[in-house]
C-alpha cells in the first residue's frame, strides 16, 4: 500500500503535469472504482492538487473535489498529446480517463479495484478528512504533540499507534518498521514504557525516513509505481522485507496488530 512518501511523490508529479488544466472529457470505465457523477460535471478545471494522509485531493473549480485513494494497486499514468501509445501497457486496468485541454491524457488505473475516485463537495470532503490525525511532516507535528499522542495510549503497542491513521496520518507498515529500527526500539514495546529519549528518537527517525523516502520517490515493493517509473527507497530499507539487519543480525518476523513486523532483537530494545 502506498504510504505518505509514495502518495506525496505522485502528487508532486501530478502537479507538474495537470495543475490548472481543464478536463474537457471524463470517461468512467469502471464504476466500482470511479464515481459516475464526475462525467456529468465536465468541463472542470483542476485548481489544486494536494495530499492528506494517503489520499490525493483534486480541488476543482465549481467547489467540487475528487478524493482519490490508491489502496494496493491504484496508479496514474499520463501521456502528452500524440503519445497515447505509451499508455498501451496499462490499458487493461484503466478505471477512468481524464482528457485535458492541452490534448494530454491522464488515466487512473486500478488493478485490484480496492481504490476509489470519489466526487465530493466541501462538506463531505471535510467530514471524511476530519477522521485523520496529524500530518507527520507538518509544523504542527511537534515532539510535544507526538509525546501527548503516545502518553494518552500508554497501554497500547507503539507500532500499532504509529500506523493508526486517526492519530498520525500517512505512516503504514513499511515506515513504522523502518522508523522503529532506526530508533532502536523493539516494536513490542508499550507506549507507556518509552523514555523521553526513546520518544525523541522515534520522532526524529520517523521524520528523517519519510523525508528521505520522498527524496527517492518512495519505495517500490509489490507494485507501486509513480507516474514516471519506480521508487528508489527500497535500496535503503533496513528491516522491511529483509532477513538480516545492516549489522548482519538475523531479523525476527512477528505479527503485531495483525500485521507482519520485522525487527532486530539485538539492535532494537
Ligand atoms: Zn541488528
Amino acid at each position: 500500500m502506498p504510504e505518505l512518501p509514495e502518495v506525496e511523490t505522485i502528487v508532486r508529479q501530478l502537479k507538474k503535469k495537470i495543475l490548472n488544466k481543464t478536463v474537457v472529457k471524463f470517461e468512467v470505465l469502471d464504476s466500482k472504482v470511479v464515481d459516475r457523477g464526475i462525467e456529468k460535471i465536465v468541463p472542470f478545471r483542476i485548481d489544486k492538487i494536494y495530499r492528506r494522509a494517503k489520499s490525493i485531493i483534486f480541488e476543482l473549480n465549481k467547489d467540487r473535489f475528487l478524493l482519490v485513494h490508491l489502496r494496493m494497486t491504484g496508479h496514474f499514468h499520463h501521456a502528452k498529446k500524440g503519445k497515447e501509445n505509451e499508455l498501451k501497457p496499462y490499458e487493461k486496468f484503466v478505471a477512468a480517463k481524464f482528457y485535458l485541454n492541452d490534448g494530454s491524457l491522464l488515466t487512473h488505473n486500478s488493478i485490484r479495484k480496492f481504490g476509489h475516485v470519489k466526487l465530493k463537495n466541501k462538506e463531505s470532503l471535510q467530514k471524511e478528512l476530519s477522521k485523520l490525525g496529524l500530518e507527520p511532516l507538518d509544523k504542527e507535528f511537534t515532539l510535544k504533540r507526538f509525546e501527548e499522542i503516545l502518553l494518552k495510549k500508554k497501554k497500547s503497542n507503539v507500532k500499532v499507534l504509529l500506523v493508526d491513521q486517526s492519530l498520525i496520518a500517512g505512516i503504514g507498515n513499511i515506515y513504522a518498521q523502518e522508523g522503529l529500527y532506526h530508533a532502536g526500539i523493539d516494536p513490542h514495546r508499550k507506549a507507556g514504557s518509552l523514555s523521553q529519549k526513546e520518544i525523541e528518537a522515534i520522532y526524529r527517525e520517523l521524520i528523517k525516513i519519510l523525508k528521505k523516502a520522498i527524496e527517492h520517490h518512495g519505495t517500490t515493493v509489490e507494485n507501486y509505481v509513480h507516474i514516471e517509473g519506480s521508487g528508489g527507497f527500497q535500496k535503503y530499507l533496513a528491516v522491511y522485507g529483509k532477513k538480516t539487519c545492516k549489522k548482519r543480525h538475523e531479523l525476527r518476523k512477528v505479527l503485531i496488530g495483525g500485521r507482519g513486523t520485522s525487527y532486530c532483537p539485538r539492535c532494537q530494545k
Side-chain angles (χ1 to χ4, degrees):
M1 161 114 56
E3 301 179 26
L4 188 158
E6 289 77 38
V7 179
E8 181 64 30
T9 299
I10 293 169
V11 163
R12 290 180 183 188
Q13 293 171 345
L14 283 170
K15 278 187 188 169
K16 278 194 271 172
K17 293 177 192 297
I18 64 163
L19 188 62
N20 295 322
K21 289 181 185 160
T22 298
V23 176
V24 290
K25 184 179 156 198
F26 187 85
E27 228 179 308
V28 176
L29 287 95
D30 188 338
S31 59
K32 274 188 237 114
V33 178
V34 184
D35 264 1
R36 281 237 174 259
I38 304 167
E39 286 174 331
K40 295 181 191 128
I41 63 159
V42 287
F44 53 83
R45 198 178 59 231
I46 300 166
D47 284 346
K48 275 185 191 162
I49 305 171
Y50 55 95
R51 181 190 59 74
R52 179 74 175 101
K54 301 172 191 171
S55 292
I56 300 169
I57 294 126
F58 292 57
E59 188 174 327
L60 314 179
N61 61 328
K62 303 182 172 185
D63 265 332
R64 299 290 184 92
F65 301 83
L66 301 184
L67 176 64
V68 182
H69 206 309
L70 300 168
R71 296 280 157 97
M72 306 291 273
T73 58
H75 303 144
F76 278 108
H77 298 286
H78 181 259
K80 287 186 178 157
K81 190 179 179 180
K83 301 269 187 184
E84 294 81 1
N85 267 347
E86 291 173 4
L87 302 179
K88 268 250 148 62
Y90 317 111
E91 225 164 36
K92 211 168 141 193
F93 305 110
V94 176
K97 290 182 174 178
F98 300 65
Y99 294 86
L100 295 140
N101 62 330
D102 63 350
S104 71
L105 175 65
L106 179 78
T107 61
H108 176 66
N109 302 46
S110 186
I111 301 173
R112 280 158 65 190
K113 306 185 193 303
F114 293 142
H116 58 241
V117 182
K118 287 184 191 163
L119 180 63
K120 297 272 177 192
N121 58 30
K122 201 166 198 168
E123 208 182 16
S124 65
L125 179 76
Q126 272 170 355
K127 197 176 162 201
E128 191 141 344
L129 300 184
S130 68
K131 302 169 199 159
L132 294 164
L134 287 175
E135 282 289 334
L137 297 182
D138 274 5
K139 278 190 200 127
E140 291 152 42
F141 185 68
T142 57
L143 175 60
K144 195 165 171 269
R145 297 290 297 275
F146 182 54
E147 247 186 272
E148 284 166 11
I149 288 169
L150 295 177
L151 295 180
K152 255 185 222 158
K153 307 243 176 190
K154 283 186 178 163
K155 288 181 182 162
S156 300
N157 173 280
V158 60
K159 195 217 156 194
V160 173
L161 294 182
L162 293 182
V163 300
D164 183 335
Q165 300 301 298
S166 70
L167 303 173
I168 305 166
I171 297 172
N173 206 28
I174 296 177
Y175 297 103
Q177 286 177 64
E178 293 295 309
L180 288 173
Y181 170 78
H182 289 287
I185 303 297
D186 185 320
H188 292 99
R189 293 277 298 275
K190 300 275 186 266
S193 77
L194 298 166
S195 70
Q196 174 71 26
K197 237 183 167 171
E198 287 173 328
I199 292 174
E200 256 183 73
I202 299 170
Y203 174 81
R204 194 182 54 234
E205 294 303 327
L206 269 180
I207 291 175
K208 202 159 96 188
I209 213 148
L210 291 171
K211 285 185 176 165
K212 191 171 171 194
I214 291 172
E215 263 170 49
H216 292 277
H217 299 155
T219 301
T220 292
V221 286
E222 295 169 22
N223 60 25
Y224 157 75
V225 289
H226 53 73
I227 306 179
E228 288 159 0
S230 298
F233 192 70
Q234 56 279 12
K235 283 192 291 227
Y236 302 94
L237 292 174
V239 283
Y240 183 87
K242 302 277 173 192
K243 291 216 157 46
T244 56
C245 85
K246 284 176 181 165
K247 294 179 182 163
R248 311 224 168 167
H249 306 139
E250 209 169 304
L251 299 182
R252 198 172 287 164
K253 192 168 181 183
V254 292
L255 273 181
I256 292 177
R259 305 290 306 274
T261 305
S262 296
Y263 74 105
C264 176
R266 289 176 69 184
C267 296
Q268 294 172 258
K269 299 289 176 195

